[in-house]
Amino acid sequence: METTVGGERSVPRYVQIAEEIVQQIRAGVLKPGDMVPSESELVERYGVSGGTIRKAMAEVRASGLVETRHGKGSIVKDRPPVRHRSSDRFRRSLRQGGQAAYLAESAQSGATAKVSVLYIGPMGAPEDAARRLGVPAGTQVLARRRLYFRNGTPVETASSYLPWDVVKEIPELFAENPGGGGIYARLEDHGHEFAEFVETLQARPASKAESSELALSPGAPVVHLVREARTTEGRVVEVCDTLMAADQFVFEYRIPAAD
């Protein structure tokens, strides 16, 4: 609670505690990979209630310097989040150079990245993906579901849905590794030239199942991103439904000021 001293508002105690913990991290007292002291330890150290410590830790998490993992507590991050350069990440030059966007971005941030393929095969198109693809819900599409890791921690799930009439002639799209440049390179190899990628983002709390899959605390913030890959003919040939741990990514956009 804020108090007034000499006509001026004092800083709430939980904010003072949060600032002290943040300073310890920035000064290297708490090093990358270190556990932040537990709630009970902080209660004893600062002589405050558990509620005050929980509010303080919410402020610390908001700083982006720690990550909280279910069953592990809060850990000082060992590297900055992956910078998600949405204006540049799908440039044709990168695909032709054999670079997959997530792996390239992770490497630039100094992180070790891994992609685990969970499922590849036919599936009835979910309602939202079907609408974006311009087909009835339940229409057979190719689904590619992946789980992305950063430094051994799951940070993102992605499910791609592609029209069956497009993919049935491209056997590489049914393989775990579709080759250099990923599925977009293979689609362009077969004449589906891209004109643009359209993304929509929504921040929200993770569901219980999502928290479990990404090893997050219940209700932790996530970013739900849906991307449409549109060809020069105006057709959407892929819908990618992605869920990202919000504390693991920074989104960067370049927006032209001229017409």
Side-chain angles (χ1 to χ4, degrees):
M1 178 180 295
E2 288 186 340
T3 59
T4 301
V5 179
E8 296 183 358
R9 286 184 173 179
S10 64
V11 178
R13 184 60 176 141
Y14 74 88
V15 174
Q16 294 175 343
I17 295 171
E19 289 177 347
E20 183 173 324
I21 295 171
V22 166
Q23 286 304 314
Q24 289 176 356
I25 295 171
R26 289 176 173 160
V29 177
L30 288 172
K31 297 179 174 57
D34 283 353
M35 296 293 301
V36 176
S38 67
E39 180 180 318
S40 60
E41 290 173 317
L42 293 173
V43 164
E44 183 176 352
R45 177 183 300 179
Y46 291 104
V48 296
S49 68
T52 297
I53 294 301
R54 286 190 289 275
K55 290 172 70 174
M57 286 307 302
E59 294 290 317
V60 175
R61 286 191 294 272
S63 72
L65 297 173
V66 305
E67 57 182 332
T68 301
R69 295 295 167 181
H70 184 61
K72 295 183 179 180
S74 295
I75 306 171
V76 179
K77 289 183 179 178
D78 57 353
R79 289 184 174 92
V82 171
R83 189 165 293 276
H84 186 92
R85 294 183 173 89
S86 292
S87 301
D88 301 317
R89 66 197 313 257
F90 297 119
R91 292 202 314 270
R92 184 168 289 108
S93 60
L94 293 178
R95 292 195 296 279
Q96 292 174 341
Q99 293 181 306
Y102 175 76
L103 298 178
E105 289 171 342
S106 296
Q108 289 169 5
S109 73
T112 300
K114 175 187 172 184
V115 182
S116 177
V117 176
L118 304 179
Y119 175 78
I120 299 175
M123 178 180 290
E127 185 173 348
D128 183 66
R131 176 181 60 80
R132 294 171 183 271
L133 291 171
V135 300
T139 299
Q140 179 173 289
V141 295
L142 173 65
R144 295 180 57 92
R145 180 165 171 77
R146 293 91 66 201
L147 179 61
Y148 293 82
F149 294 82
R150 178 175 179 267
N151 297 331
T153 298
V155 297
E156 174 184 343
T157 63
S159 297
S160 290
Y161 304 100
L162 301 98
W164 195 260
D165 66 301
V166 170
V167 304
K168 66 181 182 180
E169 303 298 334
I170 311 177
E172 297 94 334
L173 296 183
F174 292 80
E176 286 195 12
N177 182 357
I183 64 173
Y184 292 156
R186 300 294 78 75
L187 285 163
E188 287 202 314
D189 288 346
H190 287 77
H192 302 284
E193 183 179 351
F194 291 109
E196 64 178 356
F197 299 90
V198 180
E199 295 183 339
T200 59
L201 297 89
Q202 179 186 14
R204 59 171 175 78
S207 69
K208 184 175 181 180
E210 292 165 348
S211 297
S212 176
E213 187 165 40
L214 291 176
L216 297 170
S217 297
V222 291
V223 175
H224 183 200
L225 184 153
V226 181
R227 180 173 61 254
E228 299 177 9
R230 298 179 180 175
T231 68
T232 53
E233 297 179 348
R235 183 176 184 185
V236 176
V237 294
E238 186 232 19
V239 172
C240 186
D241 191 312
T242 303
L243 195 73
M244 314 168 83
D247 66 337
Q248 291 292 316
F249 295 89
V250 172
F251 295 87
E252 179 180 303
Y253 293 88
R254 187 178 66 247
I255 302 173
D259 293 337

